[in-house]
Amino acid sequence: MKILVVNAGSSSLKYQLFDMENESVIAKGAVERIGIPGSVLKAKGNGQEKVYEQDMPDHKVAIQLVLHALHDEGIGVIKSMNEIGAVGHRVVASGEYFKKPTLVDDEVIKTLEEKTFELGPLHNPAAAAGLHACMDVMPGTPMVLVFDSSFHQTMPEKAYMFGIKYEDYKAYGVRKYGAHGTSHKFVSQEAAKYMGRDPKSLKIVTCHLGNGSSISAVDGGVCVDTSMGFTPLDGVLMGTRSGCIDASAVEFLARKKGFDAARMVTYLNKECGVLGISGVSSDFRDLIAGAEQGNARCKLALDMFAYQTKKFVGSYAAAMGGLDCIVFTAGIGENTPTVREGVCEGLEFLGVKLDKAANNGKNTGAIREISAKDSKVKVLVIPTNEELVIARETLALI
């Protein structure tokens, strides 16, 4: 069976088409600038690449062009839409309304749009737009929603609750939900396979480090805690997000800067993080270059990021009562040796010992072991594959 995975943003749409017989990607691409002049689809398939430049005023038109590319005479990989058995849609926020991948029907759409948009205002409306576009263009094809937060639904109350009035939690659903769940699930399972161990026997900390970053504690194959909170703003500082900050400091800053609540949220999400600390960039390559040239603020941003990540690793080892493996994944986790070294440095008391030569080795796109041979804790670099998880979850559901 072939499964199409769609990841829709407000003005973008990424897709991959999987042949689930061998879980191979047979076509993929990305649409940029939906609803903006200069719309473009960059598509790959049949060993070729093609760029489509045409006006795409909405997601429906973008999906129509994607489907056209999938059976294009040159790069096409299917002859009919009937070859696509189902579509899996990535959705960021589920609240407490969806605890697992869900087959779409009218009631599901109603709940998605009426209950979750305020929990994921930047992402969920875009996902819904992609969903409606696919339903319009592919009537009768099963649609499945796969949520970033599903993997974190196993957290116990003591981990996901905030110290607010319990009645307010029940009334408004204010609690920790987490994000990047498909990534944390994939790399923790891959780590267990690599180690030749039953996931139920392992205590793993997974570090999904990118422009958005989150760390999760995976005990016995299930998530027991994660760093992102009610929204993806919480946790470690990130590219432009502040991460953890005292709520009173937020109110203080808002008064000093004359910001209302909405403007303050934008400030914390878009203007802070390593960009705000360094004053240079949210791109870690720029920060490393700046630090090497003596820019103290770039070095501070890097040090803060590694330090905060290390604190989560240590606290999760304590929460799980042990640690068997640390996994680094995503753009920074897979490609930035200095960050990995900074996180592992000082964790020797937990049994972590890094092989610096292996850590500085080339990213091969495969699983790499970067811990020393006598390290009691495995340290792995594992390329994430969120799309494959979505495809698997979609196939399993239908």
Side-chain angles (χ1 to χ4, degrees), residues 89-159:
H89 296 264
R90 180 205 176 208
V91 185
V92 169
S94 67
E96 293 189 324
Y97 306 103
F98 302 102
K99 297 184 181 295
K100 58 185 179 180
T102 303
L103 188 65
V104 171
D105 58 24
D106 290 344
E107 190 62 31
V108 166
I109 293 173
K110 182 179 179 182
T111 302
L112 176 72
E113 296 180 341
E114 293 183 0
K115 303 292 188 181
T116 74
F117 277 16
E118 64 181 355
L119 300 177
L122 299 178
H123 301 94
N124 279 28
L131 171 63
H132 283 295
C134 286
M135 292 175 67
D136 288 344
V137 177
M138 307 170 68
T141 302
M143 302 284 157
V144 174
L145 305 183
V146 180
F147 299 89
D148 275 9
S149 50
S150 291
F151 184 59
H152 305 307
Q153 291 290 343
T154 52
M155 287 189 293
E157 280 187 315
K158 64 183 180 182

Side-chain angles (χ1 to χ4, degrees), residues 27 34 70 74 77 84 110 139 152-153 169 201 204 211 227 261 289 311 313 325 364 386:
I34 298 173
L70 290 176
V77 295
I84 299 177
K110 182 179 179 182
H152 305 307
Q153 291 290 343
Y169 152 65
S201 71
I204 303 173
N211 192 52
S227 61
K311 285 204 299 182
V313 173
C325 180
T364 62
E386 296 169 278

Side-chain angles (χ1 to χ4, degrees), residues 46-118:
N46 201 23
Q48 302 179 58
E49 184 172 357
K50 188 171 182 178
V51 176
Y52 301 82
E53 295 181 351
Q54 72 171 61
D55 185 33
M56 285 178 266
D58 54 37
H59 285 75
K60 182 177 180 178
V61 175
I63 287 291
Q64 288 174 332
L65 186 57
V66 166
L67 297 181
H68 170 74
L70 290 176
H71 61 79
D72 181 276
E73 185 174 340
I75 66 169
V77 295
I78 60 174
K79 295 180 179 179
S80 165
M81 290 301 105
N82 293 331
E83 293 183 40
I84 299 177
V87 182
H89 296 264
R90 180 205 176 208
V91 185
V92 169
S94 67
E96 293 189 324
Y97 306 103
F98 302 102
K99 297 184 181 295
K100 58 185 179 180
T102 303
L103 188 65
V104 171
D105 58 24
D106 290 344
E107 190 62 31
V108 166
I109 293 173
K110 182 179 179 182
T111 302
L112 176 72
E113 296 180 341
E114 293 183 0
K115 303 292 188 181
T116 74
F117 277 16
E118 64 181 355

Side-chain angles (χ1 to χ4, degrees), residues 87 126 129 221 224 244 278 292 321 365:
V87 182
V224 295
C244 299
S278 69
E292 289 174 348

Side-chain angles (χ1 to χ4, degrees), residues 203-215:
K203 300 178 186 296
I204 303 173
V205 174
T206 51
C207 304
H208 179 107
L209 308 180
N211 192 52
S213 297
S214 63
I215 300 94

Side-chain angles (χ1 to χ4, degrees), residues 236-311:
V236 298
L237 86 166
M238 307 171 217
T240 59
R241 297 174 190 151
S242 66
C244 299
I245 183 172
D246 185 337
S248 293
V250 174
E251 187 274 338
F252 178 85
L253 276 169
R255 281 192 290 109
K256 291 295 185 180
K257 296 177 76 66
F259 289 170
D260 62 14
R263 178 67 182 89
M264 197 63 200
V265 170
T266 299
Y267 166 81
L268 293 171
N269 273 288
K270 301 292 187 181
E271 301 170 33
C272 296
V274 296
L275 171 64
I277 294 296
S278 69
V280 171
S281 176
S282 62
D283 190 313
F284 275 62
R285 291 168 294 188
D286 297 333
L287 299 182
I288 291 169
E292 289 174 348
Q293 294 166 9
N295 187 314
R297 285 175 58 182
C298 285
K299 184 178 184 306
L300 174 61
L302 292 168
D303 288 346
M304 288 175 65
F305 182 79
Y307 175 71
Q308 292 184 13
T309 302
K310 175 164 53 183
K311 285 204 299 182

